[in-house]
Amino acid sequence: MCGRFTFSIEEHEILKEYGIKPDEDLIEPRYNIAPGQQVVTVVNDGEKNRIGQLKWGLVPVWAKDPSIGYKMINARSETAHEKPSFKRLLERKRCLILADSFYEWKKEDGKKQPYRISPQDRPFFAFAGLWDRWKQGEEELVTCTILTKEANDFMAPIHNRMPIILPREHESWWMEQTKQDPDEMHDYLSQLNIETLEAYPVSTYVNNAKNEGPECVEPLA
């Protein structure tokens, strides 16, 4: 699974990469993003890409209680095309969830040691995400979830699952509105190779979702 990640990229880097101007105060360093918080995403409205913030933890349009979002921070890519909650989102509600690393916890000597993990050759990247809009009365939420897959050889010693990181050249393809076949999306994700990753242990300071700041990503002495 993916339960925490970071996004500490300067706004000019986003402009350079995507050519999209973020809303005022949208881009700020985040070192311990947790479920239920706002995350920076890119979506396509059918005409152009737009960057904004969505709440992490999917609340499907049919949900009676928005608290379901805390149970839907991730979606298994192997079965998403079969699940009613995700199948229709694979058709036309795909998004990029921007990050520069993610955390995972490895069992070591009877304890859980947090690791910071990121691609070797990119300063930031995008998780493959799905989003939805939920409304009940005057309350409205726009939320998202991160697609995951079975861990590759690098990640397996740390955890048996991992988030799906999209190759930069495939990001536009992922969001393209003309692609509406869930089975096609499933086949794409199942064949996708995750680029080379690197990891290092960090302090258990990051275990508490209330803790923020650069100390979260400092290598463990």
Side-chain angles (χ1 to χ4, degrees), residues 7-20 22 27 51 98 123-124 168:
F7 184 63
S8 55
I9 301 302
E10 297 290 339
E11 181 176 310
H12 73 273
E13 292 292 335
I14 301 299
L15 290 173
K16 178 181 177 181
E17 190 75 10
Y18 295 106
I20 308 172
I27 307 298
I51 190 167
L98 303 186
F124 66 95
R168 178 65 184 94

Side-chain angles (χ1 to χ4, degrees), residues 21-168:
K21 185 171 178 57
D23 295 332
E24 186 177 357
D25 299 327
L26 172 65
I27 307 298
E28 60 179 24
R30 295 292 311 281
Y31 298 94
N32 198 8
I33 300 171
Q37 297 178 354
Q38 299 294 112
V39 298
V40 179
T41 60
V42 180
V43 300
N44 188 282
D45 63 8
E47 296 182 359
K48 62 181 183 300
N49 292 337
R50 299 170 57 190
I51 190 167
Q53 291 195 13
L54 304 182
K55 186 177 181 180
W56 184 18
L58 188 74
V59 181
V61 66
W62 47 260
K64 295 181 179 179
D65 186 344
S67 65
I68 193 176
Y70 289 96
K71 300 178 181 179
M72 301 181 73
I73 63 170
N74 293 156
R76 296 177 69 96
S77 64
E78 297 92 337
T79 57
H81 65 303
E82 302 170 341
K83 304 289 185 179
S85 299
F86 306 122
K87 182 177 180 178
R88 63 183 182 83
L89 304 183
L90 275 171
E91 292 177 354
R92 58 174 69 236
K93 288 192 174 181
R94 302 177 299 274
C95 65
L96 308 179
I97 300 174
L98 303 186
D100 62 353
S101 71
F102 64 96
Y103 298 108
E104 195 52 83
W105 281 257
K106 179 182 180 181
K107 291 183 179 179
E108 295 180 349
D109 300 324
K111 300 179 181 179
K112 289 188 175 181
Q113 171 61 51
Y115 279 78
R116 186 192 187 200
I117 303 151
S118 61
Q120 281 188 355
D121 301 321
R122 282 205 277 170
F124 66 95
F125 57 88
F127 296 123
L130 304 174
W131 69 277
D132 207 358
R133 187 184 303 274
W134 176 90
K135 189 171 184 179
Q136 192 172 82
E138 296 299 315
E139 186 178 5
E140 184 176 38
L141 294 173
V142 187
T143 60
C144 62
T145 187
I146 296 173
L147 285 155
T148 65
K149 64 184 297 182
E150 186 176 347
N152 63 8
D153 290 343
F154 178 86
M155 280 294 300
I158 301 176
H159 198 274
N160 65 341
R161 302 289 297 176
M162 65 184 298
I164 294 180
I165 297 173
L166 292 169
R168 178 65 184 94

